[in-house]
Amino acid sequence: MLLRKSKYKIHSPFVYEFMTKVLYDKGSNRDYDLILRISRLVDGKRFATRSRRKQARFLYRLVRFMEPETVLSFGKVSALNTSALALGNLQTKVYLEQSNDFLETLSSMGVVNVNLIHPETDKEEELERCNTGFVLYGIEDFEEDTWNNLEDGMAQADEDTVLVFEGIHHNRRTEAAWEAIKASEGVTLTMDLYGMGLVFFREGIEKQDFVLKY
């Protein structure tokens, strides 16, 4: 892996822009307050820890930067992260596994671009139906080893695709899974943020694996 502590040492234009606009953007945003209010209402006050708020703001900026048509999430996603993903770009449709009550609560607070992955529908069909430009895999996908959709998602990936994995250093098994993902065919750029791992399929660049201080 390559350790890069300063954005000025990275020569890839995409990575430089990513670090400037997503990773190290310290600007304030009114949506951050709304995201926190939603989280406290749905998840409870104890859930919105400093580290979780930091991750949610990062996901918000990542969606704003990538502008995906859809965000697809496998595994349980908190209201904190869901609202961050949805408010990052109101034109983006967010698909996730949750309850109707969860969806209705978000909708009542103005988060209207969230949709459910219905249990009766095969996940592979859902994945094919959506433009999977942005896929978030929760830590449960590591723990329960339920990556049936991963190969399908990677097969459909293009230059604008980003896969986000939570908990890549949670234990030895998740670290081994992360190493396998990095080595997968078609993956050209990975970013290890410790709490999360990002996978890109950018064309025309040499394969790079970054460990970024965040």
Side-chain angles (χ1 to χ4, degrees):
M1 282 189 174
L2 301 175
L3 179 60
R4 295 292 186 269
K5 294 185 178 180
S6 169
K7 60 180 177 291
Y8 302 107
K9 295 182 181 179
I10 295 180
H11 300 293
S12 166
F14 174 80
V15 177
Y16 177 85
E17 187 176 18
F18 169 87
M19 294 184 71
T20 302
K21 295 183 178 180
V22 182
L23 196 63
Y24 296 136
D25 179 358
K26 304 298 183 182
S28 61
N29 192 303
R30 287 184 298 177
D31 284 339
Y32 291 164
D33 294 332
L34 177 56
I35 290 167
L36 183 57
R37 288 200 302 272
I38 293 172
S39 174
R40 286 175 172 171
L41 175 66
V42 182
D43 299 325
K45 292 183 178 179
R46 293 183 179 181
F47 188 87
T49 62
R50 183 176 182 276
S51 61
R52 286 171 173 167
R53 294 199 308 270
K54 183 179 180 180
Q55 176 176 303
R57 291 178 180 183
F58 170 82
L59 291 173
Y60 172 92
R61 294 193 300 270
L62 183 58
V63 171
R64 184 179 62 182
F65 176 68
M66 298 297 296
E67 297 184 331
E69 291 185 19
T70 63
V71 170
L72 192 62
S73 177
F74 297 116
K76 186 176 180 180
V77 184
S78 65
L80 182 70
N81 283 348
T82 299
S83 54
L85 293 167
L87 293 174
N89 185 346
L90 294 178
Q91 302 305 312
T92 294
K93 294 182 178 180
V94 179
Y95 292 85
L96 73 164
E97 300 173 300
Q98 267 289 3
S99 66
N100 284 316
D101 289 342
F102 181 89
L103 186 69
E104 290 173 2
T105 301
L106 292 184
S107 180
S108 69
M109 299 192 71
V111 184
V112 297
N113 52 326
V114 178
N115 306 271
L116 299 182
I117 298 176
H118 299 288
E120 65 273 12
T121 304
D122 186 271
K123 287 184 182 179
E124 184 175 347
E125 293 181 8
E126 288 277 2
L127 203 151
E128 290 177 351
R129 182 172 63 82
C130 300
N131 174 353
T132 54
F134 188 124
V135 186
L136 173 64
Y137 293 87
I139 194 170
E140 294 86 357
D141 292 313
F142 284 103
E143 293 302 301
E144 299 177 7
D145 197 25
T146 56
W147 288 10
N148 297 328
N149 304 286
L150 180 57
E151 290 186 0
D152 292 325
M154 296 181 75
Q156 297 183 48
D158 58 28
E159 188 175 28
D160 296 321
T161 298
V162 57
L163 307 182
V164 182
F165 296 90
E166 292 186 317
I168 59 174
H169 294 291
H170 183 65
N171 54 38
R172 291 183 179 179
R173 191 152 65 108
T174 62
E175 288 183 336
W178 173 242
E179 292 300 320
I181 291 168
K182 291 196 302 178
S184 299
E185 184 178 357
V187 173
T188 59
L189 176 64
T190 63
M191 298 182 184
D192 180 344
L193 307 181
Y194 191 78
M196 288 182 291
L198 277 62
V199 177
F200 297 92
F201 303 81
R202 309 296 297 184
E203 298 178 358
I205 65 172
E206 184 179 353
K207 185 174 177 64
Q208 295 174 305
D209 300 316
F210 290 101
V211 178
L212 300 173
K213 185 177 181 180
Y214 178 64

